[in-house]
Amino acid sequence: MDKLLITGGRTLSGSLRVSGAKNSALKILAGTLLTDEAVSIGNVPHLHDVTTMIELLGCLGAEVVVDEKMRVEVAARELNSLKAPYELVKTMRASFVVLGPLLARFGRAEVSLPGGCAIGARPVDQHLKGLAALGADIEVEEGYVRASRQGRLTGADITFDLVTVGGTENILMAATLAEGITRIHNAAREPEIVDLANFLNAMGARVSGQGTDTIMVEGVERLHGCSFDVMPDRVEAGTYLIAAAATGGSVRLTDAAPGTLGAVLEKLEQSGASVERTETTLSLDMHGRRPRAVDIETDVYPGFPTDMQAQYLAMNAVAEGTSRVTETIFENRFMHVQEINRLGARIELQNASTAIVHGVERLKAAPVMATDLRASFSLVVAALVAEGTTLIDRIYHIDRGYETIEEKLSLLGADVQRVR
Ligand code: EPZ
């Protein structure tokens, strides 16, 4: 199993290109199932999760061609299966979003229930409620969701009980081919939803209101092929900004989407960073200073993203002062706390959703273990500032969501090696 060896103490500085957004690419790839024409997707990041989604499309019978620049062409002309098996869905929950597209286009789909995961129970009740409102018959049996419908789905008014990114995406995709108008109320506003809606519109869908909490979809009879580039990854961008800031360093990000990072940039400025942005670049400079402790509370977009909580908490661990970090989206997203404490941090878990972080002047290397994707990067942040060499085990979690992590960190001057 791969591990990372990081020798801390270097001040990061340099320039990086931001990769395409994992959480947008995965849904857009699922969206290619909505048409029988070829669809070409650019700026797809080279990540394990993307490979899993490509494998799933292949196992359903779609033809998939990937070129050397990770432009992915999918032609889902005729499928030979409408079943997303447990083996694939259990390795990546995002596979569940093939349910909406398959059902809408073929009138039938069978998708394994994803089950819980390290960060929480993560049910899919809202996805199922939405599809039922569009007229699907839904049965949950033997660990599978079996959805069917005679003829087209029918548009409906759907109000989610809570804001769900994946639920919004599943219903949005299903509604594109439904008869009539669908309105999704209490919809997620995340930039990845906007990207997906723009992609669907490029295929001939009629989606409006994306980026607000009410999305309207006028169903069409069929969608066509298109060429589309995935948006920049805001979580990857924010993660490298935090990593550089934690070391007192500087970084310039190109091909970024600064407009999607408002809440994170605001916090970084409160931590003492100077931030400059153009339409597609972001520059951060800590001028060699130690960060100031800043309270964080995660929220749905445009609030502070849960996917950057762990990394920010790691920076707070070496900041000047005490901070409170509150997680409101997932019920079990503090597994990194124990691991960061192994490096000498003073973080107390007040309850399941609140951590009190007493900033310490220095951390000291120790072996640690990655528990989920973003938590893994928080260990990288901690290792970058720790004295000595930290061994991070189970980094397959990182490879699910961070493209060429050693290369990118090395470009910024970090001392990092992958070992087996
Ligand atoms: C997406 O997960 C992201 N994953 C997550 O990123 C991200 O943390 C999350 O959105 C929140 O921003 C992908 O896009 C692949 P949700 P998703 O449905 O869609 C509850 C990463 O590290 N809920 O918005 O699964 C749920 O349990 C990953 O890249 C229900 O109760 O998140 C959670 O507490 C991790 N019923 C909350 O809502 C439902 O039917 C938000 O979940 C659906 C969700």
Side-chain angles (χ1 to χ4, degrees), residues 380-400:
V380 171
V381 172
L384 287 169
V385 293
E387 268 170 29
T389 303
T390 297
L391 180 73
I392 308 179
D393 201 352
R394 300 208 178 168
I395 58 149
Y396 56 84
H397 288 293
I398 298 195
D399 295 329
R400 293 185 55 182

Side-chain angles (χ1 to χ4, degrees), residues 22-24 26-27 49 92-95 97 117 119-128 160 162-169 188 190 192 234-235 299-301 305-307 328-331 333 372-374 401:
K22 168 184 83 92
N23 288 348
S24 178
L26 294 174
K27 318 309 166 59
D49 276 6
M92 187 185 70
R93 300 179 51 86
S95 318
V97 294
C117 76
I119 60 178
R122 303 180 79 180
V124 289
D125 56 307
Q126 300 300 306
H127 301 234
L128 303 189
F160 285 124
L162 48 76
V163 178
T164 156
V165 172
T168 302
E169 291 165 335
E190 268 65 7
E192 292 75 16
R234 65 192 169 105
V235 184
D299 203 352
V300 296
Y301 192 82
T306 172
D307 289 347
T328 71
I329 307 294
F330 291 108
E331 64 267 31
R333 214 175 192 182
D372 74 73
L373 166 57
R374 309 301 170 188

Side-chain angles (χ1 to χ4, degrees), residues 97-118:
V97 294
V98 299
L99 179 60
L102 287 178
L103 173 68
R105 182 164 152 221
F106 299 97
R108 197 159 55 79
E110 197 175 336
V111 177
S112 168
L113 280 170
C117 76

Side-chain angles (χ1 to χ4, degrees), residues 237-393:
T239 299
Y240 283 105
L241 293 176
I242 296 168
T247 68
S250 61
V251 65
R252 179 168 183 275
L253 301 177
T254 58
D255 289 350
T260 61
L261 276 154
V264 178
L265 299 181
E266 210 175 285
K267 290 291 174 188
L268 283 164
E269 283 171 334
Q270 286 171 25
S271 287
S274 313
V275 178
E276 279 177 26
R277 55 208 104 174
T278 68
E279 209 171 308
T280 57
T281 66
L282 258 173
S283 303
L284 170 141
D285 198 343
M286 279 299 275
H287 310 284
R289 289 194 293 258
R290 182 178 171 198
R292 285 193 292 270
V294 167
D295 292 346
I296 298 291
E297 179 163 339
T298 63
D299 203 352
V300 296
Y301 192 82
F304 190 93
T306 172
D307 289 347
M308 278 181 251
Q309 176 259 102
Q311 303 90 311
Y312 219 105
L313 182 144
M315 176 164 83
N316 273 344
V318 290
E320 209 173 322
T322 295
S323 56
R324 172 188 293 266
V325 175
T326 312
E327 172 60 50
T328 71
I329 307 294
F330 291 108
E331 64 267 31
N332 188 28
R333 214 175 192 182
F334 275 130
M335 301 225 294
H336 39 289
V337 163
Q338 269 180 326
E339 296 299 304
I340 301 175
N341 279 346
R342 286 172 55 77
L343 303 181
R346 283 184 53 223
I347 311 166
E348 291 165 49
L349 269 184
Q350 210 169 48
N351 51 52
S353 60
T354 314
I356 304 295
V357 187
H358 305 282
V360 295
E361 247 175 87
R362 57 181 58 85
L363 297 177
K364 236 174 152 181
V368 287
M369 201 171 71
T371 50
D372 74 73
L373 166 57
R374 309 301 170 188
S376 314
F377 212 112
S378 74
L379 302 178
V380 171
V381 172
L384 287 169
V385 293
E387 268 170 29
T389 303
T390 297
L391 180 73
I392 308 179
D393 201 352

